[in-house]
Amino acid sequence: MKRNIITLAALLLTLSLSAQMRINIGAENLRKLQIAEMAISNLYVDSVDETKLVEDAIRGMLKELDPHSSYATPKEVKSLNEPLQGNFDGIGVQFNMVEDTLLVIQTVVNGPSEKVGILSGDRIVTVNDTAIAGVKMPKEDIMKRLRGPRGTKVKLGIVRRSVPEMLYFTVTRDKIPVKSITASYMIRPTIGYIRIDNFGATTHQEFVEALSSLKEQGMKNLMLDLQDNGGGYLQAAVQIANEFLQRNDLIVYTEGLRQNRHDYLAEGNGQMLTGKVVVLVNELTASAAEIVSGALQDHDRGWVVGRRTFGKGLVQRPIDLPDGSMIRLTIAHYYTPSGRCIQKPYKKGDLKEYEMDFENRLKHGELMNPDSIHFDDSQKFQTLRQHRTVYGGGGIMPDAFVPLDTMQYTRFHRQLAAKSIVTDKSLRYIDNNRNTLKKTYPSFQEFNSKYQVPQSLIDTILDAAEKQNLKFKDDEEMKRTLPYLRLQLKALVARDLWDMTEYFQVMNEENHIVQKALEVIKN
């Protein structure tokens, strides 16, 4: 324990040598930490977990700073980094758990599992001769058994429909790509659609490839969907914004008490320097996604459509600790080109109030009516080309507001989703009818135009709801639930037969922000 405290102190003292991090730790305060540690480890009445004690102390210090300074254990660091790094080592399958059995939804194209002959609909029941089905094994433990270092082998026991005996495959683990662009297609003639889920190491390359493909299909204007995008790497956001802006246009700048202002400028070599651009945002659009939204809005390069974004504008610097854990320490703020601070207000140490922001916005009516949003005149800014008024003080306010439709997603539908009834029953339906569906609808276009969700699937869902004592309030609620439930089910079937692009092609036709964006582009 003492070694841990001294190691941390030594690390901080080493960092103090950096000109960029002028940390001044008083010897008296450092001595207090050492005395507290020694007293607890030598005098406390019960035994203590020294590692946890150190981690709790670090968390306690960070908690009093801001909502985004944080500490992560080695395990948490790995889990947090995987979606952003662009790959992980594994067997290359997308799967879902049906009750306690792992059902393969899709194999990664040219991935390890596809190469040995594993198919959609297969059930993985053993891993290295250890049963994982029917034993109620936690999903995290199953993931640990399937993943492993590149080049290592894993033996899988598989049950396949229409094959009476167990099948065995030996899969050699490999690098599995993690895509941050989940959908890319022509939503209308001349209008392309790209959805970015996060900003990771491979986002820019994926984006460039998507743009090239859409341009070959006749794209002139682009709908960039950043709804629910929680952010990611700053550099990835800068690279994406660069695709739209002229040379030397300011994309974002960072500045802090001990961090001099740093400007990020466009190089002017992007693929979308002309054509209409609309950026789709909502209350869960945050951080790097807000950088892109703010840059395009401030330069009048694109219109922002949706609802006010989250307001996460604090820059974190990762500080690696000797055991593989990490401190992410806030060192600066993000500012849009017009000078708006993206970060919304917060009280130091009051994380609960910060996390209640969505509920507070809903309660105050902000998600339904833009007139409920009250801006401070001191936070009034001008866009850089057309000199339109925009506001700072937290998040990016869209140019075209789209209210949250609480009637579309009913209380009963939310209950079904919370109990995983919709996904579970749709998986079972697809599993039972996969071959028939593929023969009936050989292409997505044919599926999209002709497929109708069968009443039997709806009845299965309603029966499952009744068994869990979930009831709709009245016939009116049931009537409002069914259209969107059918749409969601159709999208889930499309996703499992094809991919996420097809899922969003179905869902976007009823997404109010997407439909408003189409109006904006046309007008």
Side-chain angles (χ1 to χ4, degrees):
M1 170 67 183
K2 191 183 300 182
R3 242 187 347 263
N4 290 339
I5 292 288
I6 293 171
T7 300
L8 176 59
L11 174 68
L12 293 172
L13 289 173
T14 301
L15 289 171
S16 70
L17 299 176
S18 167
Q20 292 183 336
M21 297 190 70
R22 294 166 290 181
I23 299 175
N24 179 21
I25 301 179
E28 187 175 321
N29 289 332
L30 184 57
R31 183 64 182 154
K32 284 169 70 175
L33 281 174
Q34 291 174 324
I35 292 171
E37 183 275 325
M38 287 188 289
I40 293 170
S41 60
N42 291 295
L43 300 176
Y44 186 65
V45 64
D46 292 321
S47 61
V48 293
D49 183 333
E50 295 182 354
T51 299
K52 186 175 184 302
L53 200 63
V54 171
E55 291 175 346
D56 288 346
I58 295 171
R59 287 191 175 99
M61 288 188 286
L62 296 174
K63 181 183 175 183
E64 298 304 314
L65 301 180
D66 66 85
H68 296 293
S69 289
S70 61
Y71 168 80
T73 65
K75 181 180 177 182
E76 290 167 341
V77 169
K78 184 178 179 182
S79 177
L80 289 168
N81 285 341
E82 271 182 359
L84 300 179
Q85 289 174 340
N87 62 68
F88 64 90
D89 294 346
I91 65 169
V93 297
Q94 296 178 31
F95 70 88
N96 251 313
M97 300 302 295
V98 178
E99 291 184 348
D100 58 354
T101 301
L102 188 154
L103 176 67
V104 175
I105 302 301
Q106 289 180 346
T107 54
V108 173
V109 177
N110 294 323
S113 291
E114 184 189 69
K115 288 177 180 177
V116 299
I118 293 174
L119 304 175
S120 299
D122 284 351
R123 288 167 169 77
I124 301 177
V125 296
T126 66
V127 178
N128 290 329
D129 297 322
T130 298
I132 63 169
V135 294
K136 300 192 181 301
M137 183 179 290
K139 187 175 180 179
E140 294 75 17
D141 291 348
I142 294 174
M143 296 283 286
K144 285 180 188 176
R145 294 173 185 275
L146 294 176
R147 291 187 179 184
R150 182 181 185 181
T152 59
K153 297 181 184 297
V154 59
K155 180 184 176 184
L156 304 179
I158 284 180
V159 172
R160 180 175 294 169
R161 280 185 179 278
S162 74
V163 178
E165 69 275 4
M166 178 93 78
L167 302 175
Y168 292 95
F169 297 89
T170 298
V171 181
T172 302
R173 297 182 180 100
D174 203 347
K175 290 289 182 188
I176 307 302
V178 178
K179 299 291 186 182
S180 55
I181 291 182
T182 50
S184 172
Y185 70 99
M186 294 295 293
I187 191 167
R188 296 290 186 272
T190 77
I191 303 175
Y193 170 94
I194 298 177
R195 181 183 177 93
I196 304 178
D197 266 10
N198 60 58
F199 288 87
T202 62
T203 302
H204 181 244
Q205 182 59 39
E206 292 176 46
F207 187 72
V208 169
E209 291 171 1
L211 279 181
S212 297
S213 174
L214 293 175
K215 282 188 172 184
E216 289 176 1
Q217 299 173 58
M219 181 189 74
K220 291 183 170 50
N221 309 309
L222 177 66
M223 189 182 300
L224 180 60
D225 192 347
L226 302 182
Q227 294 179 85
D228 305 326
N229 184 317
Y233 293 150
L234 166 63
Q235 193 55 43
V238 170
Q239 290 173 323
I240 297 298
N242 179 73
E243 292 298 322
F244 302 94
L245 300 176
Q246 301 297 322
R247 182 174 176 80
N248 292 325
D249 279 352
L250 179 61
I251 295 172
V252 66
Y253 68 90
T254 61
E255 193 170 22
L257 179 63
R258 294 180 176 84
Q259 300 292 315
N260 294 329
R261 172 169 168 161
H262 183 81
D263 292 354
Y264 294 83
L265 304 178
E267 298 176 3
N269 58 351
Q271 289 194 41
M272 276 297 294
L273 300 182
T274 60
K276 298 175 184 177
V277 181
V278 175
V279 184
L280 281 54
V281 301
N282 63 11
E283 54 281 348
L284 296 179
T285 303
S287 190
E290 293 175 292
I291 289 172
V292 175
S293 307
L296 269 60
Q297 186 180 57
D298 278 4
H299 285 289
D300 296 294
R301 177 64 189 93
W303 267 50
V304 179
V305 175
R307 293 182 289 277
R308 183 165 68 92
T309 61
F310 183 85
K312 197 276 186 184
L314 297 176
V315 184
Q316 280 76 51
R317 169 168 290 178
I319 301 171
D320 296 320
L321 300 178
D323 64 348
S325 59
M326 177 191 290
I327 292 174
R328 289 176 53 80
L329 186 67
T330 297
I331 60 168
H333 287 88
Y334 289 125
Y335 295 88
T336 72
S338 66
R340 291 181 287 166
C341 180
I342 292 173
Q343 180 60 42
K344 62 187 175 186
Y346 62 89
K347 294 179 183 177
K348 289 184 177 180
D350 192 352
L351 185 59
K352 184 177 180 181
E353 179 66 21
Y354 191 79
E355 292 175 340
M356 289 291 290
D357 183 66
F358 176 81
E359 286 78 5
N360 290 334
R361 290 193 197 190
L362 189 62
K363 183 172 67 175
H364 297 150
E366 177 186 324
L367 299 179
M368 274 74 77
N369 191 335
D371 294 337
S372 299
I373 306 171
H374 302 291
F375 293 106
D376 187 340
D377 283 342
S378 67
Q379 295 293 324
K380 188 181 290 187
F381 295 81
Q382 301 292 314
T383 61
L384 302 179
R385 286 178 168 78
Q386 297 178 12
H387 308 293
R388 296 180 296 118
T389 298
V390 289
Y391 287 90
I396 304 298
M397 183 65 188
D399 302 298
F401 180 85
V402 180
L404 177 68
D405 187 353
T406 56
M407 301 293 285
Q408 185 181 39
Y409 200 50
T410 65
R411 177 198 58 85
F412 181 58
H413 197 162
R414 286 196 297 272
Q415 289 179 330
L416 294 174
K419 295 288 188 179
S420 300
I421 292 174
V422 177
T423 52
D424 180 58
K425 297 307 176 186
S426 68
L427 280 170
R428 288 176 176 276
Y429 164 76
I430 296 161
D431 188 39
N432 291 330
N433 298 278
R434 186 181 302 275
N435 292 335
T436 301
L437 288 166
K438 284 190 171 182
K439 288 177 183 176
T440 307
Y441 307 104
S443 70
F444 170 72
Q445 288 71 25
E446 196 168 354
F447 170 88
N448 200 26
S449 62
K450 296 180 180 178
Y451 177 78
Q452 298 289 327
V453 174
Q455 184 60 40
S456 59
L457 177 54
I458 299 293
D459 292 340
T460 301
I461 290 171
L462 296 179
D463 288 344
E466 188 173 352
K467 287 176 183 176
Q468 296 199 36
N469 203 29
L470 301 181
K471 301 183 188 303
F472 47 90
K473 185 171 62 176
D474 50 36
D475 290 342
E476 178 60 27
E477 184 180 36
M478 189 69 249
K479 185 179 177 182
R480 286 192 289 109
T481 299
L482 285 176
Y484 201 67
L485 176 59
R486 290 182 184 277
L487 180 79
Q488 184 187 14
L489 288 167
K490 181 178 179 179
L492 289 171
V493 173
R495 180 198 68 183
D496 289 354
L497 293 179
W498 288 279
D499 210 338
M500 288 301 293
T501 287
E502 287 73 20
Y503 172 88
F504 283 107
Q505 280 189 254
V506 175
M507 293 299 293
N508 282 344
E509 293 308 308
E510 296 296 330
N511 183 299
H512 296 165
I513 293 179
V514 170
Q515 295 307 307
K516 181 64 177 180
L518 286 171
E519 287 181 28
V520 168
I521 290 177
K522 290 175 182 176
N523 296 329

